[in-house]
Amino acid sequence: KYWTHTDFMDEIAAVNVDDKWSIIDKSYNTKISDVKNIAKSTTCGLWQILKSDGSVQFLDRGGIPVFEGAGFTNAFFPRNQRGTDFNYIGVEKNGKWGLIDLSGQEIIPFEYERVNDCRYGCVQVKQNGKWGLVTLKNEVVVPAEYDLLAPLDRENPKIVLVGKADKLWYIYNTEKKQEMGRGYARMGYFNDGL
């Protein structure tokens, strides 16, 4: 009956018929039709539905709308990587990005061009075209002055790898709040001091 589909996540799944997506329940009843695009996060248990009229709706695993009336227009679901906290979602509102928890409570204010997922209690944020790193209390760990930031590899990082316009990687010391040494074409995080 359907051209393609996603697996059910608890009570609902997405199906495609004639290049149009819909959300169905396990009895194959259409819950939402006229869907332009979908994204689901099995780790968060949420669906993001982009409808053909441009509106965005979020559903829980049972197909129940969440965050209604919050005005969110886009979301960045956490990726399944080491250190990722799946209790937070980057969302866009009025053209700015912030971070919310799964209840919809604002954690990081909507003042950024982009946010990435929360890893080890920190979030990569983009401001004025540059990337930085903040805590869940929006305290600056690395100022938004860099073209790239490597993902964190541990909690309470003493160093963060930062990339600059010269296409080189530098070590940013979070305790001294400064870059250390010269840039390198390739670099990885230290392991046991090496």
Side-chain angles (χ1 to χ4, degrees):
K1 180 175 179 179
Y2 302 111
W3 180 78
T4 189
H5 62 86
T6 66
D7 292 333
F8 276 90
M9 185 166 67
D10 287 348
E11 299 300 318
I12 58 176
V15 294
N16 188 302
V17 178
D18 300 325
D19 288 330
K20 292 185 180 174
W21 287 95
S22 295
I23 302 298
I24 62 168
D25 63 19
K26 286 189 174 180
S27 298
Y28 301 100
N29 297 314
T30 300
K31 303 280 282 180
I32 299 176
S33 60
D34 202 24
V35 174
K36 184 176 180 181
N37 203 353
I38 58 163
K40 74 175 182 176
S41 172
T42 55
T43 52
C44 293
L46 294 175
W47 293 76
Q48 176 185 347
I49 311 298
L50 175 60
K51 298 183 86 175
S52 295
D53 66 3
S55 65
V56 174
Q57 187 173 14
F58 295 91
L59 306 175
D60 69 10
R61 291 176 183 270
I64 308 298
V66 294
F67 314 140
E68 285 191 289
F72 302 142
T73 54
N74 204 348
F76 182 80
F77 289 137
R79 295 166 288 194
N80 195 7
Q81 297 176 346
R82 184 178 62 177
T84 300
D85 190 332
F86 300 108
N87 294 308
Y88 303 100
I89 305 167
V91 290
E92 184 180 24
K93 182 177 181 178
N94 298 324
K96 293 290 186 179
W97 286 80
L99 196 76
I100 62 169
D101 64 18
L102 294 181
S103 73
Q105 180 71 36
E106 181 181 303
I107 303 300
I108 292 181
F110 293 88
E111 58 187 38
Y112 297 102
E113 295 166 24
R114 183 72 179 180
V115 299
N116 282 342
D117 44 9
C118 178
R119 292 184 74 181
Y120 298 111
C122 293
V123 179
Q124 290 182 356
V125 294
K126 188 174 187 180
Q127 198 167 38
N128 299 319
K130 300 289 185 177
W131 288 95
L133 191 68
V134 299
T135 67
L136 289 173
K137 294 181 180 178
N138 205 32
E139 297 165 340
V140 174
V141 176
V142 176
E145 299 172 356
Y146 298 96
D147 293 305
L148 297 168
L149 285 178
L152 295 182
D153 75 333
R154 63 186 49 125
E155 201 168 352
N156 300 318
K158 292 183 177 43
I159 65 162
V160 176
L161 303 182
V162 296
K164 295 169 88 172
D166 62 6
K167 309 265 190 249
L168 297 177
W169 288 95
Y170 295 82
I171 296 171
Y172 185 89
N173 184 310
T174 60
E175 293 174 333
K176 294 182 179 181
K177 304 268 187 218
Q178 65 183 20
E179 285 176 37
M180 308 298 290
R182 54 173 264 192
Y184 299 91
R186 291 180 170 200
M187 185 180 285
Y189 281 110
F190 296 100
N191 189 14
D192 296 326
L194 301 174

